[in-house]
Amino acid sequence: MFHPVPHRRHERHRKKRVGLVLGAGGPVGHAYHSGVLSALQAAFGWDAREADVVVGTSAGAQVGALLRAGLDGDDLAARAKGEPLSPEAQEIARHYVRPYSAAPRGASERRGPASVRFLLEAVKRPGVLRPGRLVSALLPEGSVEMAPQAHGFRNIFGDSWPERPLWITAVHLDDGSRVAFGKDGAPPIDVGTAVTCSGAVPGVARPVRWGGRRYVDGGIASATHLDLLHDAPVDVVIVSSPLSMFTPMRGLLWNEIRTLEKRGVPVVAFEPRGAALEVMGYNPMDTTAAPVVVKAAYETTLRELEKADEKTLGLTRKTRG
């Protein structure tokens, strides 16, 4: 088993406790996160591995786990662009694999709703109905197999959880409840299985079974789950939200941001704009777009950071020269 790389917190970053929220967004979102984090590293010298709490959903869960394994923003960007990594980063990244499509379903396999149980519960208790949960229950189970990705992360973390907080969100398919694996009170689970639970897109991937339950993509409940940080020990929250490329998802994000800010926690949000928005397209599952998305996300984020308030971020801008 590979042991995640330890690293030291730099003294200049101890002024504020930072919560890092990495939203859902498929392979395109994964690339977007990489560009954003690399830009933060370039502009402020801030290593995203130093975030006091990382909340990851779907693609964000994958990136969050890679951060806690030891890849920094530059490592993530280089990997997404297909560029060489440092030996240490390569040793970690070689364990990360994408899910793969299983063999075609046989004619005898069930193609009905994935969760009749949830649909029946919704009839009895209409209050449990939410659009995302309803869609996930109505769609048939997908065919993409998540086990290889779980195995890869287990090669890195084994059965243990990162020492520093990593919260990975998923939704219980049969009752619609949310879980944040790694957070106090959540069921025990290994990082690999938690990441695959969070990324099991309904209708695309098979639900992940764990502890007698079936879990699907955490993005079904929220693309970012900012509410998990309402009582977290953080002074500022940085959120990367790839799905804000869709206007309704942007509206939902800002509802969550306003609620968190009412509790006195400032939020700095990075959302696809300009060139990044143009190259991301409308298919978050496009695995071919990563290199151009990383580059555009990096460049647009750098421009935003030129105007960023250092006091709000709690970071110190790097001097040039």
Side-chain angles (χ1 to χ4, degrees), residues 19-303:
L20 176 63
V21 176
L22 301 166
V28 170
H30 189 127
Y32 180 80
H33 290 317
S34 301
V36 169
L37 297 178
S38 183
L40 278 164
Q41 193 161 327
F44 290 97
W46 184 65
D47 187 337
R49 296 175 298 179
E50 296 180 349
D52 294 87
V53 179
V54 175
V55 179
T57 299
S58 197
Q62 298 166 18
V63 174
L66 288 170
L67 284 172
R68 289 305 194 222
L71 270 71
D72 64 9
D74 289 345
D75 295 329
L76 289 164
R79 193 192 67 81
K81 290 187 290 186
E83 296 177 353
L85 305 180
S86 67
E88 295 81 5
Q90 181 60 42
E91 176 62 19
I92 299 166
R94 72 184 182 86
H95 295 291
Y96 175 80
V97 295
R98 294 195 182 281
Y100 64 84
S101 296
R105 292 174 175 270
S108 62
E109 291 193 56
R110 191 175 59 141
R111 299 293 293 168
S115 181
V116 174
R117 175 180 164 186
F118 177 80
L119 298 175
L120 292 174
E121 187 67 21
V123 171
K124 294 185 291 184
R125 295 192 301 128
V128 305
L129 266 183
R130 297 289 186 279
R133 271 91 157 182
L134 178 60
V135 169
S136 66
L138 284 170
L139 287 172
E141 291 190 6
S143 60
V144 171
E145 179 57 62
M146 305 296 288
Q149 187 177 86
H151 179 70
F153 277 115
R154 280 195 288 271
N155 284 339
I156 299 172
F157 293 100
D159 293 328
S160 63
W161 202 261
E163 184 176 326
R164 307 192 65 194
L166 170 64
W167 301 344
I168 294 176
T169 67
V171 170
H172 180 211
L173 177 62
D174 294 315
D175 68 15
S177 61
R178 178 187 68 180
V179 62
F181 292 117
K183 195 173 187 294
D184 289 346
I189 194 172
D190 63 90
V191 173
T193 302
V195 169
T196 56
C197 286
S198 187
V201 180
V204 175
R206 293 174 179 168
V208 177
R209 297 179 182 273
W210 181 260
R213 303 186 125 200
R214 295 187 297 166
Y215 292 98
V216 291
D217 197 321
I220 292 303
S222 166
T224 54
H225 296 274
L226 276 173
D227 64 293
L228 290 172
L229 293 173
H230 283 182
D231 299 312
V234 296
D235 303 306
V236 62
V237 171
I238 296 173
V239 56
S240 173
S241 176
L243 288 184
S244 285
M245 61 185 176
F246 301 114
T247 301
M249 301 303 290
R250 187 171 191 272
L252 292 171
L253 169 68
W254 280 93
N255 283 337
E256 292 188 8
I257 288 175
R258 284 189 287 269
T259 301
L260 187 57
E261 289 188 329
K262 285 178 181 177
R263 291 174 171 263
V265 181
V267 179
V268 180
F270 296 97
E271 304 171 276
R273 294 186 178 90
L277 183 60
E278 292 176 10
V279 301
M280 288 173 75
Y282 294 98
N283 177 15
M285 305 306 291
D286 182 3
T287 59
T288 67
V292 293
V293 171
V294 173
K295 182 176 183 294
Y298 175 83
E299 292 173 351
T300 57
T301 303
L302 270 186
R303 285 194 289 273

Side-chain angles (χ1 to χ4, degrees), residues 39-40 43-44 238 268-270 300-317:
L40 278 164
F44 290 97
I238 296 173
V268 180
F270 296 97
T300 57
T301 303
L302 270 186
R303 285 194 289 273
E304 291 183 42
L305 289 172
E306 290 176 359
K307 307 171 187 175
D309 183 347
E310 293 182 36
K311 185 176 180 181
T312 298
L313 277 168
L315 306 176
T316 303
R317 198 181 307 278

Side-chain angles (χ1 to χ4, degrees), residues 42 317-321:
R317 198 181 307 278
K318 289 176 69 174
T319 56
R320 298 182 180 180

